[in-house]
C-alpha cells in the first residue's frame, strides 16, 4: 500500500524548531513508512487523499492499563484515596478472562485511535486466572492485548510486568495472585515466550519497588537489557511508597532502582511525583525517561510531579492516560503546563512544540519505536489530523497550529488517523471497529456484571 496524502497544514520538523507548513504532500511507501514530505505543494493533486486540518505525528500513549477504563464514572462517587480506588480496581481485575479482556481492550484501543493515539504502552500485569491458576497459554491475557491492538489498528508495546508482592516483605494478597509469577525468574521465562509482530513490540516492567523484592529487581533489568527492550516502572506516585521503602531499605525508591540497575536510557519512570533532589539527579544522570499521567495523577489526588525540573535536568518526558479517567492526549499535554502554572503562579514553562514532542517523538522512543513520532522521510507513516474549524479550534491563525492543538483542541477534534500508511479513522469514524461506544458499553457491562 503506497498512498499519497495531502494535508491542508502539517506540523513539521525544522532546523530552528517545528513549523506549520501548508499544502503538504506526504507520500507513503510499501512497508508503511513515509517516502517524502513536500510542503507548499499546491492544491490536492488527483489521486491523493485529502486531509483537511492540521497533520501532526500520531500520539503515543506511553502508559496504559486497559482494564481501568471499566472504572470510568464508577469511581467518581464518594470520597477516598488512591488506596480505596485501588480496591474498586481490583474487583474489575478479578472479573476478566482472555475473551472478555480482548473485547474490552479492543474497544479501549479503538477509543484511543479516535483520540489520535497510534501507539500504546500497555503496562500489563493481569497475567493469570483468578487465584493465580495458569491459563493453557500462560500468556493468554498478554496475547489478548496484542490482538486487541491489531483489531483497533494501532501499535502496541506490551510492557509485561513483574508483580510479585503486596509490599516490602509481604506476599501477594488474593487479588494480586493473578499478577504474580511467583518469582522474577518465572516471570522472565514466561515473558520470554512473547514474540513481537509487525504492530507489536515487547518490553518489560517492574510494577513498583513495592511489588518486586529488591533482590529480584536485577533479574527484570537484565531481561530487558539482553533484548534492548523498554523497561518501565511506577515510581513514587504515593508518599506511602517512599515511607515504606525508607523503612525497609533505608533509601528512596529511586535510589533502590538505581542501585539495582533499573534506571537508564531505555527506562521510563512513571509518575515520579514525590522525589528528593538526589532522586532527580539520579534520574537525569542516568537519562531515564519520565512518563507523566496528569489526568490520572489529578484524578487520584497524587500530587504534581516535578516534570519541568526533570526535563530541565535532561530527562525526556512522555505522556500517558494510565487509568483512562479520560483518553485525550491533548488534555494530558496541556495539563503538564497548566499544573505548573497553578503551582508557580507564572505562565510559559512548556512550549506547545515541546508538549507535542513529548506526546509523539519522546513517547514513541520510550516504547521502543524510535522510528515513529516525526513527520519526515523514512519515519513510520503514523499521523493524526486535527480539525482547525471546530467550535474549539476555529479562529487562531494556522501558524499557531501547535498552540491550538495543545491548548484548545480535544480528542473530539481528531478527524483522521493513519497508522503504517493505512487510514484507520476517517472523518471521525473508526474504520475497523464499527461502533466504538457500543463496544465499550457492552464490554464494560460484561466486566462489571461478573
Ligand atoms: Zn499505572
Amino acid at each position: 500500500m503506497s498512498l499519497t496524502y495531502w494535508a491542508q497544514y502539517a506540523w513539521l520538523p525544522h532546523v530552528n524548531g517545528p513549523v506549520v507548513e501548508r499544502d503538504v504532500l506526504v507520500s507513503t511507501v510499501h512497508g508503511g513508512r513515509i517516502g517524502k514530505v513536500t510542503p507548499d505543494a499546491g492544491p490536492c493533486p488527483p489521486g491523493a487523499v485529502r486531509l483537511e486540518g492540521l497533520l501532526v505525528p500520531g500520539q503515543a500513549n506511553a502508559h496504559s492499563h486497559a482494564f481501568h477504563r471499566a472504572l470510568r464514572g464508577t469511581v467518581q462517587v464518594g470520597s477516598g484515596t488512591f488506596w480505596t480506588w485501588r480496591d474498586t480496581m481490583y474487583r474489575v481485575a478479578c472479573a476478566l478472562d482472555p475473551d472478555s479482556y480482548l473485547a474490552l481492550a479492543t474497544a479501549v484501543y479503538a477509543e484511543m485511535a479516535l483520540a489520535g493515539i497510534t501507539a500504546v504502552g500497555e503496562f500489563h500485569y493481569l497475567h493469570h486466572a483468578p487465584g493465580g491458576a495458569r491459563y493453557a497459554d500462560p500468556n493468554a491475557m498478554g496475547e489478548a492485548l496484542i490482538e486487541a491492538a491489531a483489531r483497533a489498528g494501532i501499535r502496541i508495546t506490551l510492557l509485561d510486568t513483574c508483580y510479585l508482592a503486596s509490599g516490602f516483605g509481604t506476599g501477594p494478597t488474593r487479588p494480586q495472585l493473578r499478577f504474580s509469577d511467583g518469582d522474577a525468574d518465572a516471570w522472565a521465562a514466561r515473558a520470554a515466550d512473547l514474540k513481537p509482530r509487525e504492530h507489536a513490540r515487547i518490553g518489560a516492567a517492574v510494577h513498583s519497588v513495592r511489588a518486586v523484592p529488591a533482590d529480584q529487581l536485577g533479574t527484570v533489568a537484565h531481561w530487558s537489557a539482553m533484548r534492548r527492550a523498554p523497561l518501565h516502572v511506577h515510581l513514587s506516585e504515593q508518599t506511602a511508597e517512599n515511607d515504606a521503602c525508607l523503612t525497609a531499605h533505608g533509601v528512596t525508591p529511586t535510589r533502590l532502582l538505581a542501585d539495582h540497575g533499573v534506571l537508564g536510557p531505555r527506562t521510563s519512570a512513571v509518575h515520579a511525583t514525590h522525589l528528593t533532589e538526589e532522586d532527580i539527579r539520579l534520574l537525569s544522570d542516568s537519562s531515564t525517561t519520565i512518563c507523566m499521567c496528569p489526568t490520572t495523577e489529578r484524578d487520584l489526588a497524587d500530587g504534581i510531579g516535578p516534570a519541568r525540573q526533570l526535563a530541565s535536568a535532561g530527562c525526556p518526558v512522555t505522556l500517558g492516560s494510565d487509568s483512562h479517567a479520560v483518553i485525550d492526549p491533548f488534555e494530558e499535554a496541556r495539563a503538564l503546563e497548566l499544573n505548573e502554572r497553578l503551582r508557580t503562579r507564572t505562565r510559559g514553562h512548556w512550549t506547545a512544540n515541546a508538549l507535542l514532542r513529548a506526546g509523539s517523538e519522546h513517547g514513541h522512543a520510550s516504547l521502543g519505536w524510535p522510528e515513529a513520532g516525526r513527520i519526515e522521510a523514512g519515519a513510520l507513516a503514523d499521523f493524526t489530523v486535527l480539525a482547525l474549524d471546530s467550535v474549539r479550534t476555529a479562529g487562531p491563525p494556522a501558524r499557531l497550529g501547535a498552540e491550538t492543538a495543545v491548548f484548545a483542541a480535544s480528542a473530539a477534534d481528531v478527524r483522521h488517523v493513519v497508522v503504517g500508511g493505512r487510514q484507520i479513522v476517517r472523518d471521525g469514524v473508526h474504520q475497523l471497529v464499527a461502533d466504538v461506544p457500543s463496544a465499550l458499553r457492552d464490554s464494560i457491562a460484561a466486566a462489571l456484571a461478573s
Side-chain angles (χ1 to χ4, degrees):
M1 190 160 44
S2 50
L3 291 170
T4 295
Y5 293 91
W6 175 91
Q8 186 184 15
Y9 299 100
W11 182 78
L12 300 178
H14 187 270
V15 283
N16 297 322
V19 290
V20 174
E21 303 273 14
R22 62 181 305 153
D23 300 335
V24 180
L25 277 178
V26 181
S27 68
T28 65
V29 296
H30 189 70
R33 291 188 180 244
I34 294 172
K36 194 173 176 198
V37 180
T38 313
D40 289 318
C44 182
V49 179
R50 183 183 183 87
L51 303 174
E52 295 272 349
L54 176 71
L55 186 149
V56 299
Q59 300 296 296
N61 189 357
H63 188 68
S64 161
H65 310 282
F67 74 94
H68 291 191
R69 175 62 176 82
L71 302 170
R72 189 178 293 179
T74 302
V75 287
Q76 301 300 352
V77 179
S79 59
T81 65
F82 171 89
W83 306 103
T84 52
W85 169 89
R86 194 179 71 161
D87 290 340
T88 309
M89 183 265 282
Y90 280 175
R91 282 201 288 281
V92 175
C94 286
L96 291 164
D97 63 25
D99 288 339
S100 58
Y101 205 10
L102 172 60
L104 174 59
T106 300
V108 174
Y109 296 159
E111 180 185 356
M112 288 186 194
L114 289 168
I117 290 161
T118 55
V120 62
E122 180 65 35
F123 196 107
H124 166 57
Y125 53 81
L126 198 50
H127 301 304
H128 305 299
R134 275 32 176 178
Y135 290 111
D137 172 0
N139 283 315
M141 294 293 267
E143 291 291 346
L145 291 161
I146 291 171
E147 173 63 19
R151 293 187 184 188
I154 68 171
R155 301 183 197 279
I156 184 171
T157 296
L158 187 75
L159 299 160
D160 196 287
T161 303
C162 186
Y163 194 139
L164 306 171
S166 61
F168 296 94
T170 54
T173 60
R174 180 159 177 83
Q176 293 168 339
L177 291 172
R178 296 199 73 173
F179 313 158
S180 177
D181 291 292
D183 61 34
D185 287 330
W187 166 84
R190 180 184 53 70
D193 286 337
L194 288 161
K195 297 290 179 265
R197 328 280 147 88
E198 189 179 348
H199 79 291
R201 291 182 181 168
I202 309 298
V206 167
H207 178 275
S208 57
V209 293
R210 285 178 276 126
V212 179
D215 61 1
Q216 299 184 60
L217 290 169
T219 304
V220 186
H222 179 74
W223 189 99
S224 74
M226 288 298 98
R227 292 162 175 77
R228 307 203 57 71
L231 174 59
H232 287 220
V233 53
H234 288 129
L235 176 63
S236 294
E237 181 178 7
Q238 297 291 324
T239 53
E241 173 179 297
N242 291 358
D243 296 343
C245 189
L246 283 163
T247 300
H249 294 289
V251 294
T252 64
T254 304
R255 166 55 80 184
L256 194 68
L257 295 175
D259 288 349
H260 289 84
V262 176
L263 303 184
R266 279 178 298 92
T267 298
S268 289
V270 182
H271 303 304
T273 313
H274 303 286
L275 302 182
T276 66
E277 291 297 323
E278 195 211 356
D279 292 339
I280 291 172
R281 189 178 54 71
L282 288 168
L283 291 163
S284 60
D285 284 356
S286 58
S287 302
T288 298
T289 292
I290 305 299
C291 180
M292 303 300 290
C293 306
T295 66
T296 290
E297 288 148 9
R298 71 193 186 200
D299 185 63
L300 296 180
D302 290 343
I304 302 171
R308 182 62 262 174
Q309 197 182 345
L310 286 157
S312 297
C315 296
V317 171
T318 65
L319 297 164
S321 66
D322 189 4
S323 68
H324 315 310
V326 296
I327 295 177
D328 186 337
F330 308 101
E331 176 63 32
E332 301 293 345
R334 71 175 151 263
L336 216 54
E337 164 67 16
L338 298 182
N339 280 349
E340 287 295 328
R341 292 186 189 180
L342 286 171
R343 174 160 59 190
T344 62
R345 291 182 284 166
T346 59
R347 309 173 82 233
H349 307 273
W350 299 85
T351 64
N353 284 336
L355 291 168
L356 275 183
R357 278 189 79 200
S360 51
E361 187 172 348
H362 295 324
H364 281 95
S366 79
L367 297 177
W369 299 91
E371 70 275 54
R374 293 176 308 284
I375 306 301
E376 64 183 24
L380 290 172
D382 297 0
F383 42 84
T384 290
V385 179
L386 284 162
L388 292 180
D389 56 2
S390 77
V391 289
R392 288 165 295 275
T393 59
R399 68 181 165 78
L400 298 180
E403 287 76 8
T404 307
V406 169
F407 289 102
S410 78
D413 296 309
V414 170
R415 187 173 277 164
H416 309 290
V417 178
V418 171
V419 179
R422 175 173 70 149
Q423 192 161 3
I424 59 163
V425 174
R426 180 173 293 135
D427 292 319
V429 177
H430 203 291
Q431 301 297 292
L432 307 175
V433 179
D435 183 344
V436 179
S438 294
L440 285 162
R441 183 195 62 208
D442 295 347
S443 60
I444 290 171
L448 295 178
S450 33

